[in-house]
Amino acid sequence: MEKDEQMRIGVVSDTHGDLHALRQVLDQAGEVDLWLHAGDYSQDAPYIEEKTGIPVYAVCGNCDSYTDRAPAELVTKQLGVTLAMTHGHRYVRYNDWSRLFYFGEEKQADVVIFGHIHVPVCVEEDGILLVNPGSPSRPRNGVPSFGILTLEKGKKPKFEVIEVRE
């Protein structure tokens, strides 16, 4: 399969400046074409870019300084798939993620990427795939994790949660 027909995207969130955990993620991710950082220490994005030489798109979270270069929300199109990313703190209430689906509809997204809850999520509703990679440094479910989003022309996006190994 041609590189321009498939894309492997690393997804991380809630790293909170833990470079040890981030190095483990980068070691385990394998070859990726793009990294997404869904906030709470979006300042780690330049570190990822420096270590991998791969572009990183990041958004600010509720624990980030809003003077950072990262925006609060980001929309990008990759291989014809619209990705909308936000940290999630403006949309998530307890375990209710329904407002993120509205965010996705508003942005005409195929995939919504968020963080904030430190727990992996992969749910599809009304054609929108909602994903959260969990946290490699401060997981609330006890399992450090990150995600890989695979895009392939003409197919539905796939998301895999990967447990960070010591």
Side-chain angles (χ1 to χ4, degrees):
M1 179 163 300
E2 296 292 318
K3 239 347 186 180
D4 61 347
E5 292 182 11
Q6 184 176 15
M7 190 171 195
R8 204 164 174 270
I9 301 171
V11 183
V12 69
S13 184
D14 300 287
T15 53
H16 291 278
D18 186 337
L19 297 183
H20 174 71
L22 202 45
R23 280 191 294 274
Q24 289 177 304
V25 167
L26 299 178
D27 287 347
Q28 291 176 39
E31 188 177 325
V32 298
D33 303 297
L34 175 68
W35 277 98
L36 301 177
H37 192 299
D40 272 3
Y41 228 72
S42 61
Q43 298 95 316
D44 287 340
Y47 176 83
I48 297 169
E49 200 163 291
E50 177 187 314
K51 291 294 178 192
T52 65
I54 295 167
V56 181
Y57 297 168
V59 293
C60 281
N62 58 305
C63 294
D64 288 326
S65 164
Y66 286 91
T67 59
D68 291 340
R69 292 178 289 170
E73 298 174 351
L74 181 139
V75 178
T76 182
K77 198 165 207 145
Q78 304 292 328
L79 289 183
V81 177
T82 302
L83 311 176
M85 184 167 59
T86 185
H87 183 59
H89 61 290
R90 296 177 177 174
Y91 298 93
V92 175
R93 285 247 196 293
Y94 307 104
N95 288 328
D96 179 7
W97 311 314
S98 61
R99 291 172 51 186
L100 283 165
F101 286 110
Y102 298 128
F103 166 75
E105 287 175 355
E106 177 185 277
K107 304 298 182 188
Q108 298 179 331
D110 301 299
V111 181
V112 171
I113 300 101
F114 75 109
H116 188 58
I117 63 172
H118 297 228
V119 177
V121 172
C122 184
V123 179
E124 186 175 347
E125 187 175 301
D126 294 330
I128 296 174
L129 183 62
L130 179 69
V131 301
N132 185 316
S135 171
S137 60
R138 298 180 183 177
R140 292 193 178 134
N141 64 346
V143 181
S145 61
F146 67 100
I148 297 291
L149 178 64
T150 303
L151 308 180
E152 195 173 329
K153 276 196 174 169
K155 294 190 177 181
K156 284 186 166 193
K158 294 179 192 162
F159 186 70
E160 176 186 7
V161 174
I162 300 172
E163 184 178 332
V164 177
R165 299 179 311 270
E166 275 296 322

